[in-house]
């Protein structure tokens, strides 16, 4: 029998209901303790059980067997800074929360727990799912999604093909190639025996998890198929389920807008380098941003800059090409409408230019880092390069040339010391760093 909620816990009911919806796409049952522990040890211990108590992972079928569920159960993810004697919850308006992670319960490192969609989007998404089946306002989300025509096609499929993802709103899937989709299946970390391009080893629930993640937010998928360990500018994937993700911790770029000039120059130089690697790489994929803000980039403690949020990143296969997404509303279904209006249209992949991401960065981010930070004539050159780089009316070669000129200006403005541990002490002996 479910325990009764205490007065303080009952007062938080709207908050933790919303939090549960954030965790998973499926209906779950869960409980809260009647009162918080009295001793400090008990309080900390309770907070370690955040995954069980507040996320409902012990009873939520959506997450059973996933890596993130196992990490919470094994207490490898601890969020003891969230709970206090009054049974407080993390604020439900934030999109990310700090936590700690360990593989052995001895060495701990900071991680971030991300909402893949906002609370408001959660509520809209749930209502849409229920309404699509003419169900009441609350319903079994898993049951509704399982009955859809798209998921029935997924159940029969042996291989993930472009027709199975047609109509999904993710930029990643705007014009997917078979090579890209094979990479998604082969590197999907939430199934046993990953490595095959075929989905024979996927259970029905595995397929629903993958489809739902692709429909809601492709950020966790990008972390898995283009891992930082292989040189991609993305943080380490530690697990996800439904509507939340855990990855290694970074500080948002906007926290460095007031950084010293040499640090600002270093971050700007890295940011331009990241865009260069996304534009030209050994695998012949072209990555682009559909929109951009400072929260999409983060900085590790060693000074290294990474993409913190890849949800707005699209991928075009320059080697194989891709099948353009269907127009005029064809292949649109409930999976197309989980986080955006059903009428929302992404631009054609043919309309994406090489300069697109550079223009966005030079307009919105680099001025906040670089303007008014350096003496003349260096500042004059920086401002001129930024103006050219951020001019969307200029042809691609001119924008790319301006970005290259800006990198040349910034390179000698970076210093070599321990604050930049990602390239120190190598920078003392090699100009490359």
């Amino acid at each position: 029998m479910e325990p009764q909620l205490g007065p303080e816990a009952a007062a938080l009911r709207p908050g933790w209901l919303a939090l549960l919806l954030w965790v998973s796409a499926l209906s779950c049952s869960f409980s809260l303790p009647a009162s918080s522990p009295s001793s400090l040890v008990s309080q900390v211990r309770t907070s370690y059980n955040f995954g069980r108590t507040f996320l409902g992972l012990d009873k939520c079928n959506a997450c059973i067997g996933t890596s993130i569920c196992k990490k919470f159960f094994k207490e490898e993810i601890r969020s003891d800074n969230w709970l206090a004697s009054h049974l407080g919850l993390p604020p439900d308006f934030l999109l990310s929360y700090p936590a700690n992670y360990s593989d052995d319960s001895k060495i701990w490192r900071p991680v971030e727990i991300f909402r893949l969609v906002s609370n408001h989007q959660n509520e809209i998404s749930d209502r849409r799912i229920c309404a699509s089946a003419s169900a009441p306002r609350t319903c079994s989300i898993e049951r509704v999604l399982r009955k859809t025509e798209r998921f029935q096609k997924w159940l029969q499929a042996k291989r993930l093909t472009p027709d199975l993802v047609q109509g999904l709103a993710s930029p990643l899937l705007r014009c997917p190639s078979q090579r890209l989709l094979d990479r998604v299946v082969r590197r999907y970390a939430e199934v046993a025996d990953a490595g095959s391009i075929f989905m024979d080893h996927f259970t029905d629930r595995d397929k629903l998890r993958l489809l739902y993640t692709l429909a809601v937010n492709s950020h966790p998928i990008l972390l898995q198929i283009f891992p930082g360990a292989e040189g991609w500018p993305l943080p380490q994937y530690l697990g996800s389920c439904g509507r939340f993700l855990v990855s290694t911790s970074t500080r948002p770029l906007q926290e460095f807008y007031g950084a010293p000039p040499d640090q600002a120059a270093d971050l700007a130089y890295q940011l331009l380098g990241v865009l260069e690697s996304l534009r030209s790489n050994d695998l012949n994929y072209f990555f682009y941003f559909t929109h951009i803000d400072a929260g999409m980039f983060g900085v590790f403690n060693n000074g290294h800059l990474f993409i913190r949020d890849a949800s707005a990143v699209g991928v075009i296969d320059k080697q194989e090409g891709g099948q353009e997404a269907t127009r005029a509303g064809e292949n649109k279904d409930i999976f197309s409408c989980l986080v955006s209006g059903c009428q929302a249209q992404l631009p054609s992949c043919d309309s994406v230019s090489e300069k697109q991401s550079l223009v966005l960065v030079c307009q919105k981010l680099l001025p906040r880092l670089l303007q008014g930070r350096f003496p003349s004539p260096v500042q004059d050159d920086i401002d001129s390069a930024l103006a050219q780089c951020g001019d969307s009316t200029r042809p691609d070669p001119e924008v790319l040339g301006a970005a290259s000129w800006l990198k040349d200006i910034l390179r000698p403005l970076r210093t070599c010391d321990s604050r930049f541990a990602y390239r120190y002490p190598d920078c003392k002996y090699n100009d490359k760093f």
Side-chain angles (χ1 to χ4, degrees), residues 30-60:
F30 60 100
S31 61
L32 287 173
S35 59
S36 57
S38 56
S39 69
L40 177 62
V41 173
S42 297
Q43 289 173 18
V44 173
R45 189 66 179 177
T46 299
S47 68
Y48 290 168
N49 290 323
F50 180 84
R52 293 190 181 97
T53 307
F54 290 101
L55 302 187
L57 293 182
D58 54 341
K59 296 182 179 179
C60 186

Side-chain angles (χ1 to χ4, degrees), residues 9-22 89-90 92 115 119:
L12 293 167
R13 190 178 185 88
W16 57 256
L17 280 174
L19 187 61
L20 183 71
L21 293 178
W22 150 55
L89 287 173
D92 61 11
R115 297 179 190 265
N119 251 0

Side-chain angles (χ1 to χ4, degrees), residues 260-273 303-305 370 374 378 382 406-417 419-420 422-424 426-428 430-433:
D262 60 340
Q263 189 175 25
D266 184 78
L267 292 173
Y269 184 88
Q270 286 190 73
L271 185 50
L272 291 170
H304 207 174
L305 181 141
L370 300 176
F374 304 92
V378 172
I382 289 176
L406 183 56
K407 282 190 70 179
D408 289 341
I409 298 171
L410 295 172
R411 185 180 293 111
L413 300 178
R414 305 185 305 157
T415 55
C416 179
D417 61 56
R419 289 176 299 154
F420 310 103
Y422 78 96
R423 58 183 176 88
Y424 181 86
D426 297 338
C427 54
K428 295 174 62 176
N430 191 329
D431 291 341
K432 174 184 176 182
F433 301 99

Side-chain angles (χ1 to χ4, degrees), residues 48 70 115 118 151 173 179 280 308 336 380 405:
Y48 290 168
K70 295 173 183 176
R115 297 179 190 265
S118 69
F151 184 64
L173 304 172
R179 182 170 75 117
S280 177
R308 185 170 179 259
S336 310
D380 296 335
W405 177 33

Side-chain angles (χ1 to χ4, degrees), residues 187-365:
R187 293 184 168 227
Y188 185 52
E190 299 301 339
V191 295
D193 302 322
S196 172
I197 63 173
F198 298 103
M199 296 192 290
D200 296 331
H201 56 297
F202 279 52
T203 65
D204 293 359
R205 182 159 284 146
D206 291 334
K207 289 185 176 182
L208 184 56
R209 284 177 188 144
L210 176 56
L211 171 56
Y212 187 85
T213 302
L214 289 171
V216 169
N217 190 320
S218 58
H219 176 60
I221 304 300
L222 278 161
L223 298 193
Q224 294 171 68
I225 65 178
F226 299 109
E230 296 179 5
W232 298 99
L234 292 165
Q236 183 183 359
Y237 172 82
L238 295 174
S240 67
C241 181
R243 297 168 182 166
F244 85 115
L245 160 81
V246 178
S247 68
T248 47
S249 180
T250 60
R251 292 175 60 191
L253 182 62
Q254 61 262 36
E255 293 187 11
F256 295 86
Y257 281 163
D262 60 340
Q263 189 175 25
D266 184 78
L267 292 173
Y269 184 88
Q270 286 190 73
L271 185 50
L272 291 170
V274 164
L275 297 187
E276 187 176 334
S277 69
L278 297 182
R279 191 173 62 250
S280 177
N281 50 76
D282 292 341
L283 292 185
N284 221 11
Y285 287 110
F286 171 60
F287 300 78
Y288 65 94
F289 284 88
T290 59
H291 62 277
I292 218 158
D293 62 63
M296 292 180 175
F297 296 91
V299 182
F300 288 135
N301 289 336
N302 65 359
H304 207 174
L305 181 141
F306 279 72
I307 298 173
R308 185 170 179 259
D309 176 4
S311 59
V313 173
V315 181
I316 297 175
D317 191 337
K318 295 193 293 185
Q319 176 175 305
E320 194 174 285
Q323 180 175 326
E324 187 75 17
T326 304
R327 298 263 197 289
E330 295 181 22
N331 288 346
K332 288 289 186 73
D333 59 7
I334 186 57
F335 286 100
S336 310
C337 313
L338 295 181
V339 292
S340 62
C342 298
Q343 305 305 316
Q345 291 285 344
L346 290 172
S348 166
C349 289
D350 294 335
S351 69
V352 178
S353 63
E354 278 195 282
K355 69 182 180 184
Q356 178 166 308
S357 298
L358 273 173
V359 170
L360 291 171
V361 164
C362 290
Q363 287 179 346
K364 298 177 180 295
L365 303 186

